[in-house]
Amino acid sequence: MADNGPKTGPAPGDRTVIGITFGNSNSSIAYTVDDKAEVIANEDGDRQIPTILSYVDGEEYYGQQAKAFLVRNPSNTVAYFRDFLGKEFKSIDPTHNHASAHPQESGETVAFTVKDKEGEEETPSTLSVSEVSARYLRRLVGSASDYLGKKVTSAVVTVPTNFNDKQKAALTAAAAAADLEILQFISEPVAAVLAYDARPEAQIADKIVVVAELGGTRSDVAVVASRGGLYTVLATVHDYEYAGVALDKVLMDHFAKEFLKKNSGAADPRENARSLAKLRFESEATKKALSLGTNASFSVESLSAGIDFASTINRLRYETIARSVFEGFNRLVESAVKKAGLDVLDVDEVILSGGTSHTPRIAANVSHIFPQTTRILSPSTETTAINPSELQARGAALQASLIQEYDAEDINQSTHAAVTTVPHITNAIGVISLSESGEEVFVPIVPPETAVPARRTVLVAAPKDGGDVLVKIVEGNTHIKVTKPEPKTKENGSKAAKVEDAGDSDDDSDFSDDDDDDEEKREKVWKIGATLAEAALRGVKKGGKVEVTINVNADRSVMVTTREVGGKGGVRGTVSA
Ligand code: ATP
């Protein structure tokens, strides 16, 4: 197995640590002060720092300044390279590199050729993706060091859940070349959950969380079980089609067509590299503006053949033309829940993370998948939501401050993104109780998907007048009870006809915010499964209580202890896995 951490690094007491998220589109740096994580702005004032390097006359630019050079100096600008680390040329997807330095094969790895030295006659350099990453990380860490006023030595870095050991080893080596110790990698969804759970007002309850990490070039959705402070990744879905650049493309096509309509005979701005770069840059800015306001402008000087172009778009129009992309995000979320073997009713929270998660329509659509009881954490659905662009770096910074005191060796052994392999139980374990109508109902004590070993204790009330208490420990699983509504007569025509009538006028939106009134009712109900143990406690006092403790061991065997609160003795038994 590849080594995920350097063997040597600063002694724990000499470290200055930060959290880093190093994305294909943007990166961020954060640090923790008084248990609170803060994202650091670089010298340009940016907290989302484009993962781009550009070389002009031997000078290196990074971040937003480098991004601006995608218009005037694309061939010496390197962008969208993070996912190439630790990969062979034949396995990469260069789709996003058409408008900047092109990736090429270089031995076992991927490289870019750029003129990074001064003077026309200088021969261009071929830089491996590791070298590019090292140079970029050096700039990132430099900004953090300048801000903190001391040299940053170490970091926790977030990575997607499907980043393999080879990719991690390549990133570790690139960081080491930039004089940065990677203390630990944490998976992006866990970083997002950590950032939320670290808030002082957070209640650390057992919960199922869906984290939708929607970035520029990829979307990664994970279903995470949070049980007693332990996180288990139950399922993940990765997609490279539905992400921020797909939304940029929708707007680029929209404005290009409008430009051509207004300027008949002009060249299509999508057919000239420089015009295309301008179109892309401004479309992205318009898209971001539409997350905040209901109208946004688009304006480019000399878009094509020297013609300036200015226009506006409203949010409803945008939501209509981008509808198929938005629907793609919903499908990803639904498929992740399904892959985890869960129902949407099992999901307590949805965290929308990544830049694209600022989009109000995405949050609204995702909220329609889930019942009203599911919290949707995004800026447009919860006023107290954390900025989705900052979640990753914050989670990483919190983790960095937690582990900075440990030796690199210990961190390596104790952690990993191994959350995914932690054993967990599938069914819930609980007791049977009698409902008011005398029916047997299941009361969960250890929820399903709990990482083991685990221990939970509950108190069960004895019968009013005391006496013998029989405690039955059983497995429970949920099923979804569907209640069909009474058929209603419709007033005028079907919904489908209504949508058609709306045509494609500017103000139509096919997404109806009001869910159908006559939707069937779905609820989660417990089903009693296999009996694991029975314990009889004789002569429990009037009004007494029985304490039931369930220990699930690492091999999934279960030990149950029951005793009367305040009484003597008790019953204990073990059920093997
Ligand atoms: P990836 O690795 O998938 O390329 P990333 O994690 O590096 O992405 P993020 O900063 O999370 O990058 O996401 C970048 C995307 O988010 C870009 O497409 C950007 O246009 C989009 N974005 C940023 N802010 C907003 C906003 N306010 N509204 C809508 N989209 C936004």
Side-chain angles (χ1 to χ4, degrees):
M1 201 176 96
D3 189 356
N4 291 341
K7 284 282 167 275
T8 54
D14 298 334
R15 287 185 185 127
T16 298
V17 302
I18 57 168
I20 295 182
T21 174
F22 175 44
N24 286 304
S25 304
N26 293 301
S27 298
S28 290
I29 39 186
Y31 75 112
T32 304
V33 59
D34 297 336
D35 293 336
K36 217 172 152 253
E38 297 279 356
V39 174
I40 298 172
N42 72 355
E43 45 283 19
D44 297 327
D46 296 320
R47 289 185 169 77
Q48 278 70 57
I49 305 165
T51 309
I52 306 181
L53 285 178
S54 185
Y55 294 91
V56 183
D57 297 333
E59 184 116 20
E60 183 184 81
Y61 295 85
Y62 103 116
Q64 197 57 44
Q65 293 191 24
K67 188 168 181 174
F69 281 118
L70 282 171
V71 176
R72 280 187 289 134
N73 182 33
S75 59
N76 293 312
T77 303
V78 190
Y80 300 118
F81 56 88
R82 197 277 318 265
D83 272 356
F84 300 163
L85 269 169
K87 289 252 179 93
E88 286 179 30
F89 180 74
K90 59 177 188 294
S91 65
I92 65 161
D93 173 9
T95 310
H96 301 293
N97 307 83
H98 287 321
S100 56
H102 293 182
Q104 68 207 56
E105 187 160 13
S106 171
E108 302 255 290
T109 127
V110 179
F112 299 86
T113 298
V114 288
K115 274 193 185 162
D116 61 342
K117 297 186 198 76
E118 203 176 352
E120 272 308 301
E121 65 289 353
E122 279 293 347
T123 47
S125 309
T126 296
L127 309 175
S128 69
V129 65
S130 295
E131 173 65 21
V132 173
S133 301
R135 288 186 183 189
Y136 181 81
L137 288 171
R138 198 172 290 132
R139 298 298 302 267
L140 208 56
V141 169
S143 296
S145 301
D146 284 350
Y147 182 90
L148 296 173
K150 51 187 169 178
K151 192 182 174 312
V152 168
T153 59
S154 320
V156 166
V157 182
T158 65
V159 285
T161 51
N162 64 349
F163 223 56
N164 64 32
D165 285 334
K166 212 170 153 203
Q167 290 172 291
K168 287 181 196 163
L171 182 47
T172 302
D179 207 14
L180 176 75
E181 173 197 30
I182 295 188
L183 286 178
Q184 191 191 7
F185 290 109
I186 56 168
S187 74
E188 290 174 348
V190 170
V193 182
L194 269 179
Y196 270 108
D197 280 356
R199 299 202 296 186
E201 68 271 27
Q203 288 177 347
I204 310 301
D206 286 345
K207 58 190 173 186
I208 298 282
V209 187
V210 170
V211 183
E213 163 66 28
L214 312 177
T217 59
R218 52 185 289 166
S219 291
D220 302 271
V221 184
V223 182
V224 181
S226 169
R227 301 284 185 238
L230 256 188
Y231 303 119
T232 313
V233 178
L234 303 177
T236 56
V237 171
H238 307 281
D239 186 89
Y240 302 87
E241 186 181 346
Y242 298 103
V245 291
L247 294 170
D248 299 341
K249 172 86 173 35
V250 166
L251 287 174
M252 287 162 70
D253 286 338
H254 170 80
F255 288 117
K257 282 185 201 151
E258 203 178 289
F259 172 81
L260 291 172
K261 217 158 123 202
K262 287 196 181 146
N263 300 281
S264 55
D268 189 333
R270 290 168 294 184
E271 282 164 10
N272 166 293
R274 194 154 172 164
S275 301
L276 184 68
K278 288 183 180 177
L279 186 64
R280 178 176 293 121
F281 200 85
E282 186 65 4
S283 293
E284 189 188 4
T286 305
K287 174 187 77 172
K288 290 186 188 175
L290 284 166
S291 291
L292 277 180
T294 48
N295 270 292
S297 59
F298 174 96
S299 167
V300 178
E301 262 179 42
S302 179
L303 176 57
S304 175
I307 307 169
D308 297 347
F309 180 64
S311 180
T312 57
I313 184 166
N314 68 31
R315 196 190 275 171
L316 283 174
R317 180 79 186 134
Y318 167 55
E319 291 177 350
T320 307
I321 59 177
R323 183 184 177 162
S324 65
V325 184
F326 290 144
E327 286 176 346
F329 291 122
N330 263 26
R331 281 197 297 276
L332 294 179
V333 171
E334 283 171 319
S335 64
V337 175
K338 199 165 162 210
K339 204 166 158 191
L342 298 177
D343 187 89
V344 289
L345 293 173
D346 293 315
V347 177
D348 302 292
E349 276 176 13
V350 178
I351 296 178
L352 290 176
S353 165
T356 299
S357 290
H358 285 276
T359 315
R361 176 47 63 191
I362 295 176
N365 286 1
V366 167
S367 74
H368 287 157
I369 303 176
F370 295 94
Q372 282 198 331
T373 46
T374 306
R375 281 181 83 188
I376 310 289
L377 293 161
S378 86
S380 59
T381 48
E382 285 247 354
T383 45
T384 58
I386 299 175
N387 179 345
S389 296
E390 298 194 349
L391 276 170
Q392 304 295 332
R394 282 201 196 197
L398 289 162
Q399 181 72 2
S401 74
L402 273 180
I403 62 172
Q404 62 178 324
E405 318 257 295
Y406 296 94
D407 285 332
E409 194 82 343
D410 292 341
I411 297 171
N412 246 342
Q413 280 173 10
S414 64
T415 49
H416 295 273
V419 258
T420 38
T421 56
V422 165
H424 56 275
I425 53 169
T426 320
N427 291 328
I429 299 174
V431 290
I432 293 179
S433 159
L434 287 185
S435 73
E436 279 180 5
S437 57
E439 252 176 276
E440 284 196 333
V441 288
F442 175 77
V443 180
I445 298 176
V446 190
E449 320 300 349
T450 296
V452 292
R455 175 197 168 98
R456 297 285 194 284
T457 300
V458 286
L459 293 179
V460 180
K464 269 199 210 102
D465 300 326
D468 296 347
V469 177
L470 178 72
V471 182
K472 217 168 162 186
I473 311 293
V474 294
E475 281 193 323
N477 48 49
T478 51
H479 78 119
I480 305 298
K481 187 173 146 201
V482 183
T483 319
K484 291 246 184 279
E486 293 290 314
K488 262 197 269 173
T489 41
K490 296 218 167 161
E491 280 165 26
N492 55 1
S494 70
K495 194 168 172 244
K498 219 165 105 196
V499 170
E500 241 169 59
D501 285 346
D504 71 352
S505 79
D506 260 11
D507 286 350
D508 69 335
S509 169
D510 300 354
F511 304 104
S512 84
D513 268 329
D514 53 335
D515 273 351
D516 273 354
D517 294 339
D518 50 2
E519 239 179 50
E520 58 191 21
K521 188 169 155 221
R522 300 176 76 248
E523 51 192 328
K524 196 164 85 172
V525 290
W526 286 104
K527 231 168 68 186
I528 297 171
T531 302
L532 299 176
E534 288 185 13
L537 282 173
R538 305 237 170 259
V540 176
K541 279 198 307 278
K542 191 175 168 184
K545 284 203 163 51
V546 174
E547 183 190 82
V548 182
T549 301
I550 298 180
N551 267 304
V552 190
N553 301 317
D555 62 358
R556 295 187 187 80
S557 62
V558 180
M559 193 174 89
V560 181
T561 317
T562 50
R563 65 175 193 95
E564 183 183 350
V565 178
K568 283 197 211 101
V571 184
R572 169 187 289 227
T574 304
V575 190
S576 51

